[in-house]
């Protein structure tokens, strides 16, 4: 959140902030009427003397419910006469459909679009003395403090509303699902690779380096990784991503570890894991005390009041995460708080040997499922015309095949199964109102992933089942593939800034004046979150960007989207590996190894556009698929998949490249 200096009182009059709400605009089938919801919220705002209410994105879906917009990015602010929702380029089309005409759509990153603070201080028309409410448990501490400082410049107060206003109007009576928390299970050592006691020791050493004597660990994936625990079962605290996390907050000091969870989830196995046989002795500093999460604030405050010379590391915002909440900050003595990037970030991102091997193994099994699905669906579309396939049915079929793989724990996120123009909606998810047929005349984009006990996967492939491929689609698919290959082939110095390699994936679109509105890559966890910091491959730079280091895993996923017509995205997971095949006076270099093993579509590739090196990389990649994936289906006698893989992994001569042909012509 930027500090505001000079604020316009009004937005530019030509700035398109609203959704498709002209008199002759068709009403999208997935649009939600939020009129009554907003009226109910505003009635409570008046009672609480609030002139605006800030609703951040949260995993229970409060922002989604009040706005009707279900995307995984962006916050909402409601005043007594306006409502605005911000989101990034992945969701511009989706938000324009889902937000009704009560809302202004703020397209983040576009020229003239205000920040949250800018809008509150300008176009929201709030007067001096106005009060803006927010739930302190849902808004990050750094974000809260910066927003509060900005608003105070106009004598507008940001006030804490511990009893969330959305909770008062979104109830079981009007469709809110009853609260359900995940079970908590021990993550097996064969997959975790390192005892949690050693991770705690490493963390304590990092705290000493940073001059802190305690840390509040508030990010759920960090708690799960640090203590070798995972959440299992369904939960109402989930959102679009199906991560094996559980509601919790933790405290680590040199002598103590405390974990606040739902007490009904404490099991004998959990106690045995966290409280070993030495826990009754005073020397047992790696024993974890368990307390009920409903009491975390009072318990943390009591602990803090008993300390002297307290310096508590509280996490600032990082890539994909908002940092510790304002509730955490407010619970501690202000002078004890030390905002820092979490020392767990890099430790978690740089997989140990067991985690790294698990990621590789999980992607092999995932490729079994995706290849079998792709071969099956193509056969159904082309040879079984009596079978009707739509986006939802296809996504369900893929989930079933993933569930059959060894160590499967379900999908890692809601599948993006998008046919035709739906594929132009970058993070589209099919629902009954938008569910489109899959046929041989339109692109089909499939972005999906699986959770396995040994790893998390995320893959996108784009298909076209007809024989007559439009030349535009073929060229754009090829340019997207060329960008993906160029990133996969990169060699750079160790600890290169991750954002610096992004241009490799976009250059072949830039040459045509084209681009795509999302990052090229995100970090990925080991049976954790499908989006994991600190890695983000994308244009621009911020303090949150990470540096590429050995055994990090991230996605390589360029795309191209033509609004209202089609979308193309190709996504594979890559592993950062040290390059030890040459000596350099410039230090250690690193390269990338692609661990996703699902073929691309050769009939969508114009090989003449590619360079000889790109074609050679593709040949090597296809050889690896033949060596690793094909034998599984040969052994089981699944000829349909064998033929599907063989057709897509034929070697291509680099001489078809226009670079070679142009050189020959010159000779």
């Amino acid at each position: 959140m930027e500090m505001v200096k000079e604020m316009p009182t009004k937005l530019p009059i030509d700035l398109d902030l609203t959704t498709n709400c002209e008199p002759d605009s068709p009403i999208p089938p997935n649009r939600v009427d939020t009129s009554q919801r907003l009226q109910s919220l505003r009635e409570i705002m008046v009672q609480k003397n609030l002139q605006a209410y800030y609703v951040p994105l949260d995993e229970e879906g409060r922002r989604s419910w009040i706005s009707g917009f279900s995307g995984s990015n962006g916050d909402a602010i409601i005043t007594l006469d306006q409502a605005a929702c911000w989101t990034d380029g992945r969701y511009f089309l989706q938000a324009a459909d889902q937000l009704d005409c009560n809302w202004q759509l703020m397209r983040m990153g576009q020229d003239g679009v205000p920040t949250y603070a800018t809008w509150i201080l300008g176009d929201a028309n709030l007067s001096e003395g106005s009060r803006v409410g927010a739930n302190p448990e849902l808004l990050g501490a750094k974000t809260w403090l910066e927003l509060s400082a900005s608003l105070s410049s106009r004598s507008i107060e940001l006030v804490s509303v511990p009893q969330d206003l959305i909770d008062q109007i979104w109830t079981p009576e009007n469709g809110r699902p009853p609260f359900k928390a995940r079970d908590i299970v021990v993550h097996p050592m064969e997959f975790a690779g390192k005892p949690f006691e050693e991770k705690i020791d490493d963390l304590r050493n990092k705290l000493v380096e940073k001059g802190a004597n305690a840390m509040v660990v508030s990010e759920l994936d960090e708690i799960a990784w640090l203590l070798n625990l995972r959440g299992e079962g369904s939960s109402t605290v989930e959102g679009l991503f199906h991560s094996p996390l559980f509601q919790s907050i933790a405290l680590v000091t040199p002598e103590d570890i405390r974990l606040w969870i739902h007490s009904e989830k404490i099991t004998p196995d959990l106690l045995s894991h966290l409280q070993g046989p030495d826990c009754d002795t005073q020397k047992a500093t790696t024993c974890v005390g368990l307390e009920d999460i409903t009491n975390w604030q009072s318990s943390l405050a009591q602990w803090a009041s008993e300390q002297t010379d307290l310096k508590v590391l509280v996490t600032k915002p990082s890539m994909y995460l908002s940092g510790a909440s304002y509730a955490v900050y407010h619970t501690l003595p202000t002078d004890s708080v030390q905002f820092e990037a979490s020392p767990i970030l890099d430790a978690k991102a740089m997989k140990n040997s067991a985690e790294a091997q698990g990621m590789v193994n999980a992607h092999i099994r995932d490729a079994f499922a995706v290849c079998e699905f792709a071969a099956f669906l193509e056969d159904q579309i082309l040879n079984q015309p009596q079978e009707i396939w739509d986006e939802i049915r296809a996504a369900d079929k893929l989930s079933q095949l993933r569930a059959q793989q060894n160590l499967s724990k379900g999908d890692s996120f809601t599948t993006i199964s998008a046919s035709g123009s739906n594929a132009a909606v970058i993070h589209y998810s099919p629902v009954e109102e938008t569910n489109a047929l899959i046929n041989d005349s339109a692109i089909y984009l499939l972005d999906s992933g699986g959770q396995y006990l040994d790893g998390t996967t995320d893959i996108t492939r784009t298909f076209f089942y007809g024989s007559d491929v439009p030349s535009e689609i073929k060229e754009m698919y090829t340019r997207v593939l060329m960008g993906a290959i160029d990133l996969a082939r990169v060699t750079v110095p160790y600890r290169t800034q991750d954002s610096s390699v992004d241009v490799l994936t976009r250059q072949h679109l830039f040459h045509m004046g084209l681009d795509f509105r999302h990052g090229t890559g995100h970090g990925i966890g080991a049976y954790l979150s499908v989006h994991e910091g600190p890695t983000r491959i994308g244009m621009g730079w911020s303090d949150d960007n990470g540096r590429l280091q050995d055994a990090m895993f991230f996605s390589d996923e360029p795309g191209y989207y033509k609004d209202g017509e089609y979308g193309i995205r190709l996504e594979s997971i890559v592993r950062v590996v040290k390059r030890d095949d040459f000596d350099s006076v410039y230090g250690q270099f690193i390269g990338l190894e692609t661990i996703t093993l699902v073929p691309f579509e050769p009939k969508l590739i114009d090989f003449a556009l590619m360079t000889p090196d790109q074609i050679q990389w593709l040949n090597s990649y296809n050889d690896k698929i033949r060596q690793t994936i094909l034998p599984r289906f040969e052994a089981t006698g699944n000829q349909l998949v064998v033929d599907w893989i063989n057709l897509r992994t034929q070697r291509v001569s680099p001489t078809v490249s226009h670079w070679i042909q142009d050189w020959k012509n010159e000779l």
Side-chain angles (χ1 to χ4, degrees), residues 218 487 606:
S218 55
L487 177 56
D606 182 354

Side-chain angles (χ1 to χ4, degrees), residues 371-516:
C371 287
E372 183 174 353
F373 167 82
F376 169 83
L377 185 61
E378 181 178 75
D379 179 67
Q380 290 281 297
I381 298 298
L382 298 182
N383 302 318
Q384 308 293 333
Q386 74 279 7
E387 291 291 336
I388 305 301
W389 283 89
D390 56 37
E391 297 165 337
I392 293 177
R393 186 184 180 194
D396 289 344
K397 175 65 176 180
L398 178 55
S399 295
Q400 292 167 11
L401 290 173
R402 273 204 173 96
Q404 296 171 11
Q405 305 306 313
N406 189 33
L407 304 182
S408 173
K409 305 301 285 187
D411 294 343
S412 57
F413 58 95
T414 301
T415 297
I416 298 171
S417 175
S419 179
S421 61
N422 287 340
V425 181
I426 296 172
H427 267 203
Y428 168 86
S429 292
V431 293
E432 290 294 344
E433 293 83 359
T434 63
N435 191 21
L437 295 178
I438 302 170
N439 53 45
D440 63 359
S441 62
I443 263 183
Y444 176 53
L445 186 155
L446 182 67
D447 185 344
S448 67
Q451 292 285 12
Y452 301 85
L453 273 175
D454 53 352
T456 301
T457 72
D458 186 2
I459 173 177
T460 308
R461 292 294 184 263
T462 302
F463 306 94
F464 187 88
Y465 298 114
S467 57
D468 186 15
V469 181
S471 58
E472 177 183 323
I473 286 179
K474 191 168 187 175
E475 178 175 0
M476 300 316 300
Y477 184 101
T478 305
R479 289 184 178 276
V480 171
L481 176 61
M482 291 162 66
I485 291 174
D486 284 351
L487 177 56
R489 294 179 58 242
V490 74
T491 296
V492 292
Y494 192 73
R495 288 186 57 80
T496 287
Q497 188 84 36
D498 54 16
S499 60
S500 65
V501 299
D502 178 85
V503 70
L504 294 171
T505 67
R506 299 178 194 264
Q507 58 183 325
H508 306 292
L509 295 173
F510 283 174
H511 290 322
M512 301 180 68
L514 302 173
D515 198 0
F516 52 91

Side-chain angles (χ1 to χ4, degrees), residues 60 170-172 174-180 235-236:
E60 289 191 58
W170 183 29
T171 64
N174 58 18
R176 185 171 189 165
F179 176 79
K180 184 178 182 181
S235 169
T236 50

Side-chain angles (χ1 to χ4, degrees), residues 15-311:
L15 187 59
D16 176 19
L17 295 178
T18 56
T19 58
N20 44 351
C21 289
E22 298 301 321
D24 57 347
S25 296
I27 299 176
N30 56 337
R31 175 164 289 182
V32 177
D33 184 353
T34 63
S35 300
Q36 183 57 54
R37 299 176 185 181
L38 289 171
Q39 179 180 332
S40 298
L41 175 61
R42 286 167 174 149
E43 289 173 356
I44 298 180
M45 289 167 60
V46 170
Q47 296 172 14
K48 302 289 186 181
N49 188 25
L50 297 174
Q51 285 68 52
Y53 192 62
Y54 190 127
V55 185
L57 177 72
D58 78 293
E59 293 177 326
E60 289 191 58
R62 294 176 178 88
R63 188 228 55 201
S64 299
W65 183 82
I66 193 63
S67 68
F69 168 55
S70 61
S72 66
N73 171 270
D75 300 349
I77 301 176
I78 299 96
T79 70
L80 296 176
D81 58 4
Q82 296 186 68
C85 185
W86 283 255
T87 194
D88 66 23
R90 295 172 296 169
Y91 292 109
F92 287 171
L93 296 181
Q94 178 179 332
D97 279 351
Q98 291 184 322
L99 293 172
D100 71 9
C101 298
N102 291 300
W103 290 86
Q104 300 175 46
L105 169 57
M106 303 294 189
R107 296 176 173 87
M108 296 165 68
Q110 301 292 286
D111 290 342
V113 173
T115 64
Y116 304 112
T118 305
W119 187 79
I120 293 172
L121 292 170
D123 212 56
N125 294 323
L126 300 187
S127 60
E128 289 189 3
S130 293
R131 288 160 36 98
V132 178
N135 184 335
E137 291 202 56
L138 300 183
L139 201 59
K142 287 287 284 184
T143 301
W144 184 292
L145 295 172
E146 292 172 2
L147 178 60
S148 179
S150 297
L151 300 186
S152 66
S153 68
R154 296 284 183 85
S155 299
I156 296 175
E157 183 183 5
L158 181 61
V159 298
S160 177
V161 184
Q163 301 299 318
D164 197 289
L165 300 192
I166 303 299
D167 293 348
Q168 299 180 43
I169 58 175
W170 183 29
T171 64
E173 287 71 29
N174 58 18
R176 185 171 189 165
F179 176 79
K180 184 178 182 181
R182 283 195 178 93
D183 296 329
I184 304 173
V185 298
V186 178
H187 192 45
M189 182 57 58
E190 63 180 298
F191 307 127
K194 190 173 186 176
F196 84 85
E197 294 90 346
E198 293 183 15
K199 295 179 181 180
I200 291 291
D201 287 342
D202 292 342
L203 176 57
R204 284 169 170 159
N205 290 335
K206 287 290 185 182
L207 295 180
V208 171
E209 292 176 12
K210 294 178 177 292
N213 49 29
M215 177 179 175
V216 175
V217 188
S218 55
E219 305 296 0
L220 302 187
D221 66 332
E222 294 190 351
I223 295 171
W225 178 85
L226 182 66
L227 297 176
N228 290 345
L229 300 172
R230 296 295 188 269
E232 277 195 352
S234 60
S235 169
T236 50
V237 186
E238 186 164 282
L240 295 174
F241 301 115
H242 309 321
S243 303
L245 309 179
F246 52 93
Q247 279 191 304
S248 53
I249 189 167
L251 173 70
V252 177
T253 75
E255 303 84 18
D256 193 21
I257 311 167
R258 298 189 187 191
L259 176 65
W260 289 271
I261 57 176
H262 292 285
S263 57
E264 69 271 17
K265 299 300 180 181
I266 298 174
T267 64
D269 284 346
L270 183 63
L271 287 171
S272 176
H273 172 67
L274 297 176
Q275 300 176 358
D278 296 331
C279 282
D280 292 333
T281 71
Q282 294 182 349
K283 295 182 179 180
T285 60
T286 54
C287 297
V288 182
L290 298 176
E291 300 184 42
D292 192 84
I293 196 169
T294 57
N295 302 321
W296 78 264
Q297 284 181 272
S298 59
S299 178
L300 181 62
Q302 177 64 33
W303 167 84
S305 70
E306 298 168 354
Q307 310 303 310
T308 57
D309 299 322
L310 186 60
K311 294 295 180 185

